[in-house]
Amino acid sequence: DAKTTQPTSMDCAEGRAANLPCNHSTISGNEYVYWYRQIHSQGPQYIIHGLKNNETNEMASLIITEDRKSSTLILPHATLRDTAVYYCIVRTIQGAQKLVFGQGTRLTINP
Amino acid sequence: DTGVSQDPRHKITKRGQNVTFRCDPISEHNRLYWYRQTLGQGPEFLTYFQNEAQLEKSRLLSDRFSAERPKGSFSTLEIQRTEQGDSAMYLCASSPRGPNYEQYFGPGTRLTVT
């Protein structure tokens, strides 16, 4: 079972920041937080990952709370092409490192 | 395009027939994964290869399913005696060897069993 809890759906206006929350209260010390998204009819796409520090790349920022029990993915200037299902995944770096997907958050960017 | 490719993209088959899907990972990625995704659900892990060795299989992978990666490059997933419940998107992903690399997904093969 997935170790994360996410809202089922969210809406955001185009051009605004989209903030997607994720709860992972049972995360272990050696587990990373990964975010993927899946645009309709495509395979999932990696966005960002982190252990305990905040991370930023060209796509998004990841804010992880100090106790690591929750995180927020931030898309700073959402566009219509960011409409997708966003998956928050807790993943160990040991073993096969398979991804365990939950239901994700369906983010809709509105014009 | 140097991404993960899958073939075919769509497959319609009748119940009881066998089907085979192919995945070509990103060159030099030695890890390869298969996932299955049904409508409205997130992808579910099926199996994992490191080079040609199949190192982990989910209990979702029944005896009718078999996966191979004979030369450590491309992989095939075969489903024998297909059932309507096998209708799903079959996704392949690859990653480099190492503790913390992301997985790169292909576009998937959509299987419809009638």
Side-chain angles (χ1 to χ4, degrees):
Chain A
D1 290 341
K3 295 183 176 182
T4 62
T5 304
Q6 299 177 251
T8 302
S9 63
M10 294 182 63
D11 285 86
C12 179
E14 187 178 18
R16 305 297 294 268
N19 296 278
L20 291 89
C22 179
N23 287 321
H24 32 80
S25 59
T26 60
I27 192 169
S28 301
N30 66 346
E31 290 179 321
Y32 285 69
V33 179
Y34 276 72
W35 284 83
Y36 282 75
R37 73 180 182 184
Q38 189 171 25
I39 296 170
H40 183 61
S41 296
Q42 297 182 20
Q45 176 191 23
Y46 165 80
I47 301 173
I48 198 168
H49 74 278
L51 182 62
K52 55 183 179 181
N53 297 320
N54 298 337
E55 302 288 344
T56 295
N57 63 20
E58 65 278 5
M59 290 183 67
S61 294
L62 174 61
I63 308 298
I64 303 174
T65 58
E66 192 170 345
D67 63 8
R68 302 209 322 125
K69 293 184 177 183
S70 65
S71 60
T72 301
L73 179 74
I74 301 171
L75 307 178
H77 306 286
T79 70
L80 298 179
R81 286 179 294 182
D82 292 321
T83 293
V85 178
Y86 287 76
Y87 296 100
C88 169
I89 298 168
V90 166
R91 178 193 188 193
T92 178
I93 61 172
Q94 307 298 323
Q97 304 167 37
K98 61 190 176 190
L99 298 172
V100 180
F101 291 82
Q103 300 274 36
T105 296
R106 182 171 299 278
L107 175 67
T108 302
I109 306 300
N110 299 307
Chain B
D1 190 338
T2 58
V4 177
S5 62
Q6 294 186 244
D7 183 70
R9 295 290 309 276
H10 303 273
K11 178 71 176 178
I12 300 174
T13 192
K14 292 185 177 180
R15 184 166 54 92
Q17 297 295 305
N18 299 344
V19 294
T20 300
F21 310 140
R22 176 177 171 127
C23 170
D24 286 89
I26 293 173
S27 179
E28 297 177 357
H29 279 191
N30 62 355
R31 291 184 168 178
L32 188 147
Y33 304 78
W34 284 98
Y35 293 83
R36 181 176 70 183
Q37 185 174 26
T38 54
L39 200 61
Q41 304 296 315
E44 298 173 290
F45 170 78
L46 289 178
T47 191
Y48 151 67
F49 290 85
Q50 182 162 298
N51 299 313
E52 67 276 9
Q54 188 174 18
L55 298 184
E56 184 171 347
K57 292 194 293 185
S58 162
R59 62 178 184 274
L60 292 175
L61 214 65
S62 76
D63 291 344
R64 297 184 298 104
F65 287 69
S66 63
E68 293 183 344
R69 195 182 182 197
K71 298 182 179 179
S73 57
F74 73 91
S75 175
T76 57
L77 177 67
E78 181 184 16
I79 309 175
Q80 295 182 330
R81 305 181 303 281
T82 52
E83 302 173 355
Q84 287 189 321
D86 297 330
S87 295
M89 175 76 83
Y90 290 85
L91 293 160
C92 175
S94 71
S95 72
R97 183 174 184 174
N100 207 10
Y101 286 103
E102 62 268 28
Q103 294 179 21
Y104 296 82
F105 283 80
T109 294
R110 180 165 296 283
L111 173 67
T112 302
V113 182
T114 62

